[in-house]
């Protein structure tokens, strides 16, 4: 590589992109300039997003301003809040929505994933997914508003539909949403209404496969289903949703009337993965080599949800935070090596286990062959999530919200805000 | 009054309505049923709303769920989240947007105020006011986004307009907004950008009268102006805004180019005040008698921003939280007296003084002829606001946010969220 300044551009400030940029800053040499591009001004701690959606935490408590985290005010590091429209791999130029085009020498794509409705994009209006803070506050609005409207209506059939919540998808997000809604209805809201009984709420978790939490063992998935049922969640497996509308969901011929339907069933990688001139798999992820480099491109790397990586030990790696984190650190080392003519190293995944929380004092998880359930798993879950949360202030506030929820059974963010800032919608 | 159950309906869960309902619940007799109607599900602590607008606090930290505060799940107390469309004082019936009509025996109107653009409603899009959480997050979005867009643009003239903030109105809200924006630009964001210097931001506070904070003494208002100038705010008095557009504000022939304009210049009472079949003043407030009862109506009361009350000592009372609070408690006593055939008591205002905070370690205030400035006033301001904030959890979190901001110069809620939940706007 030349001696002149090399421009490393990172797209995406999720787990992978942030890990990479932090490491690049720590290891950067004077011949390197770094630009981080993200559509948002904040890094989002997605594993706790369901708690924002269910009024337990406030948006700012799980979000950290990108500029603040990486101390962006230096000549060598640049942050752009903008949307990537196109990547021209021939000219090495990224076209942005608002800013001037950006030229790169080395590109890292860590742009994450969005929901996939498997071709039914019209379902989104009736069944929002959970990927951003905006989604979370919209879901919170729908859940809390359903109880309010149920209280004020005299129409018994409508009331029943308002007090029926359907969650589509039995992965960790679906399980956590269902468990939290059960807790809201059975505990937080139980005493607060005079005409309805929130604890009579129906919560239905629908999974197309034959069991929930399929990435965990069968024993843990059975335990999770039992724990959910105890909380008041009805778990339906091997059931496929065939339509979603304002009236609820259809399962073949059967119609379940529900005014609140949430989508936790599928994700697809950012379209940026397909702009890299590399081969993609059926899910839309670009194939990368052992150095996390897009196959066939000497100067483009991809990680996390955007990348198809086959680990010798674990097979194709799933879209999990630890994968993105570990790849982010390794890719930063490899970029520094590449720019300085050193040898890059292969990436190997270190399995950190997997967890899902089900409610107050209940979780399931596995780590290196060990399985955790119940209170122990729940405590481990809390410690791990506080530990990985970015920023001292966020750690403190989330910890205090949890303590206070545990003691008082209340939700810290039980507010309904309009979709429209003028407040008329 | 009859022995049968009497229905007391309260419209509005602001300071006045909440104070009244809490007192009504405490003093209620078995012949009384209470319904509280509000458009929102939360009581809002408006005095700290400017801190949400300037990314210091999260929405949930200054909002308390109405049902949770008044423990709504009893047969005698009912909460409806709905919008009042009409009050028929002849039939004693309230028409609501979603719920069935509500019949009242006694009505209390405490519906608060909205902005007034003095006939220029088209200015709202370019200069939002600050009355709801939605307004606050929209203003936060505009402020933070202006710095982001200024960083990414290469157009020098546009950049200057993006780094110019105009606040129209020199009352407490205008002063507090201007001071906070100055602090954000000079402190919180100062080190976080590479292409712009946030501390070069222009902040202009425009007041039509000849001094800011006109309800305080001339000495305090001079001190406040000096403190603001020290923080970097330009204060223009005796200047009248003649037009507001996407380009900025016009003051007669002069155009000030600014991409962010905020409105803190005028309020008007809720239109419900005009539905009560009572005489209203020029501002739209309904005239009430010494018992806080709408003149000419034996069973309708009005308080706070909706009411024109002439105090023997202080004259026409302004739209302040202490006025609404005190009237709320008195009106509850009078309603209980009325329903039980007892004598009602006249309302007399107890002046609690007035304050405005200007920034870190700076505030002005007066109480019973004493005047406070600087650090002392700022400490008093903090204690008073924490004390009056509803809910233990909110007090704790706001206190911790302030401590942490004071120590780290950071803002706890520096996130930009889209206006649209899909995130595409």
């Amino acid at each position: 590589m030349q001696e002149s300044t090399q421009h490393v551009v990172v797209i995406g400030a999720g787990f992978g992109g942030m890990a990479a940029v932090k490491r690049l800053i720590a290891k950067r040499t004077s011949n390197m300039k770094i630009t981080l591009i993200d559509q948002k001004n904040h890094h989002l701690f997605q594993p706790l997003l369901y708690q924002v959606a269910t009024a337990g935490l406030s948006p700012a408590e799980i979000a950290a301003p990108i500029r603040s985290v990486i101390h962006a005010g230096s000549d060598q590091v640049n942050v752009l809040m903008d949307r990537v429209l196109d990547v021209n791999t021939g000219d090495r130029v990224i076209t942005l929505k608002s800013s001037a085009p950006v030229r790169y020498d080395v590109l890292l794509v860590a742009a994450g994933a969005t929901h996939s409705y498997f071709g039914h994009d019209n379902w989104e209006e009736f069944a929002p997914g959970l990927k951003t803070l905006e989604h979370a506050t919209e879901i919170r609005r729908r859940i809390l508003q359903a109880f309010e409207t149920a209280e004020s209506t005299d129409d018994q059939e409508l009331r029943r539909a308002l007090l029926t919540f359907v969650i589509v998808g039995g992965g960790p997000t679906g399980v956590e949403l269902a468990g939290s809604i059960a807790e809201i209805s059975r505990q937080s809201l139980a005493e607060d209404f005079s005409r309805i009984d929130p604890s009579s709420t129906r919560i239905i978790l629908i999974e197309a496969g034959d069991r929930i939490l399929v990435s965990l063992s069968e024993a843990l998935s059975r335990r999770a289903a039992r724990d959910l049922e105890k909380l008041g969640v009805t778990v339906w497996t091997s059931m496929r949703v065939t339509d979603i509308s304002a009236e609820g969901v259809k399962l073949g011929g059967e119609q379940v009337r529900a005014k609140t339907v949430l989508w936790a069933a599928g994700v697809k990688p950012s379209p940026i993965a397909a702009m890299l001139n590399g081969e993609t798999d059926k899910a839309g992820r670009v194939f990368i080599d052992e150095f996390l480099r897009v196959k066939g491109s000497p100067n483009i790397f991809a990680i996390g949800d955007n990348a198809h990586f086959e680990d010798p030990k674990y097979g194709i790696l799933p879209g999990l935070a630890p994968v993105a984190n570990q790849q982010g650190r390794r890719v930063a080392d490899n970029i520094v090596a590449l720019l300085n003519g050193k040898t890059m190293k292969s990436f190997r995944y270190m399995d950190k286990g997997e967890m899902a929380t089900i409610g107050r004092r209940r979780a399931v998880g596995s780590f290196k062959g060990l399985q955790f359930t119940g209170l122990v798993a729940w405590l481990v879950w809390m410690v791990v999530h506080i530990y990985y949360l970015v920023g001292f202030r966020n750690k403190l506030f989330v910890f205090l919200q949890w303590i206070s929820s545990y003691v008082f059974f209340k939700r810290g963010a039980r507010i309904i805000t309009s979709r429209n800032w003028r407040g008329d919608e």
Side-chain angles (χ1 to χ4, degrees), chain A:
Chain A
M1 289 262 161
Q2 316 114 291
E3 271 306 291
S4 64
T5 301
Q6 299 288 307
H7 191 194
V8 179
V9 176
V10 178
I11 301 175
F15 287 110
M18 284 303 261
V21 169
K22 281 187 193 171
R23 186 99 157 196
L24 282 171
I25 291 173
K27 296 200 149 191
R28 76 182 184 275
T29 41
S30 56
N31 67 342
M32 191 195 298
K33 189 175 171 306
I34 303 160
T35 296
L36 172 59
I37 302 171
D38 197 281
Q39 296 179 45
K40 305 283 182 185
N41 81 325
H42 51 269
H43 165 75
L44 180 62
F45 193 75
Q46 285 194 0
L48 291 180
L49 199 52
Y50 81 95
Q51 294 213 357
V52 174
T54 53
L57 294 174
S58 275
E61 288 165 350
I62 62 160
I66 296 168
R67 295 184 185 283
S68 171
V69 175
I70 67 171
H71 307 291
S74 104
D75 284 349
Q76 274 186 279
V77 185
N78 204 12
V79 173
L80 282 180
M81 180 182 162
D82 211 332
R83 186 182 293 240
V84 170
L85 298 182
D86 187 46
V87 178
N88 180 332
T89 54
D91 297 340
R92 301 187 174 180
V93 168
I94 299 163
T95 310
L96 297 167
K97 192 177 171 206
S98 313
S99 322
V102 172
R103 213 193 157 282
Y104 62 85
D105 295 298
V106 175
L107 175 62
L108 168 59
V109 175
T114 54
H115 329 287
S116 168
Y117 289 87
F118 309 125
H120 300 280
D121 286 351
N122 58 316
W123 292 357
E124 191 188 22
E125 175 63 26
F126 312 111
L130 185 60
K131 274 284 169 189
T132 64
L133 289 176
E134 289 83 355
H135 293 138
T137 47
E138 170 65 9
I139 290 174
R140 179 180 76 187
R141 189 184 71 74
R142 292 186 185 205
I143 294 171
L144 297 176
Q145 183 67 57
F147 289 99
E148 294 292 339
T149 310
E151 172 84 353
S152 62
T153 187
D154 289 323
D155 177 336
Q156 287 301 326
E157 207 185 329
L158 174 62
R159 184 177 283 172
R160 191 165 163 77
L162 284 161
L163 294 180
T164 302
F165 296 82
V166 172
I167 297 99
V168 185
T173 301
V175 166
E176 288 167 341
L177 281 172
S180 295
I181 296 172
E183 286 200 333
I184 288 179
S185 61
R186 267 69 179 169
Q187 294 164 3
S188 317
L189 304 185
E191 308 293 318
D192 286 356
F193 291 82
S194 31
R195 300 166 66 185
I196 59 167
D197 174 11
S199 63
S200 69
T201 303
R202 289 171 79 199
I203 300 136
I204 304 168
L205 178 65
I206 302 177
E207 164 59 38
D210 64 355
R211 62 189 180 92
I212 61 171
L213 298 176
V214 69
S215 58
L216 293 173
S217 71
E218 280 198 41
L220 286 181
S221 115
R222 267 197 309 274
R223 170 67 185 255
R226 218 162 50 229
D227 282 351
L228 282 171
E229 304 267 2
K230 272 188 210 152
L231 277 174
V233 176
T234 307
V235 180
W236 289 348
T237 51
S238 306
M239 303 274 267
R240 194 172 289 277
V241 168
T242 52
D243 195 27
I244 306 181
S245 69
E247 299 310 310
V249 300
K250 264 197 180 144
L251 303 146
E254 192 192 349
Q255 169 85 43
V256 180
R257 284 206 68 195
K259 283 291 171 195
T260 311
V261 182
L262 307 178
W263 184 259
V267 294
K268 61 181 177 204
S270 156
I272 299 171
M275 299 175 185
L276 306 179
N277 211 17
E279 205 188 331
T280 53
D281 66 10
K282 260 194 271 180
R285 294 173 298 189
V286 66
F287 286 98
I288 56 174
D289 65 18
E290 58 187 314
F291 306 117
L292 307 173
R293 194 156 53 167
V294 173
K295 283 186 178 168
S297 301
N299 63 332
I300 304 180
F301 296 79
I303 57 174
D305 292 346
N306 294 155
H308 178 114
F309 182 89
E310 190 144 4
D311 191 89
K313 187 166 168 195
Y314 301 101
I316 299 164
L317 295 180
L320 292 174
V323 174
N325 253 324
Q326 293 175 31
Q327 290 185 334
R329 289 196 297 271
R330 166 60 59 213
V331 84
D333 290 348
N334 281 350
I335 289 170
V336 172
L338 179 71
L339 292 182
N340 293 286
K342 304 270 166 64
T343 318
M344 300 194 287
K345 286 189 186 149
S346 316
F347 174 72
R348 286 290 171 274
Y349 182 51
M350 276 217 355
D351 187 16
K352 295 286 190 91
E354 243 186 282
M355 311 193 77
T357 176
I358 292 151
R360 213 173 147 77
R361 289 195 254 177
R362 288 196 184 96
V364 293
S366 66
F367 175 66
K368 292 196 187 293
L370 294 172
Q371 305 203 336
F372 302 91
T373 57
L375 182 62
V376 173
W378 187 68
L379 290 170
V380 171
W381 180 90
M382 286 207 296
V383 171
V384 167
H385 283 75
I386 290 277
Y387 178 80
Y388 279 105
L389 194 58
V390 174
F392 167 75
R393 189 199 286 243
N394 290 3
K395 286 186 212 286
L396 174 70
F397 278 74
V398 169
F399 179 69
L400 289 171
Q401 289 280 21
W402 287 351
I403 295 283
S404 134
S405 299
Y406 187 80
V407 177
F408 301 113
F409 283 93
K410 303 244 170 162
R411 297 257 152 188
R414 191 177 142 195
I415 50 169
I416 300 176
T417 46
S418 301
R419 292 165 71 159
N420 180 310
W421 67 272
R422 290 205 184 76
D424 47 16
E425 191 195 328

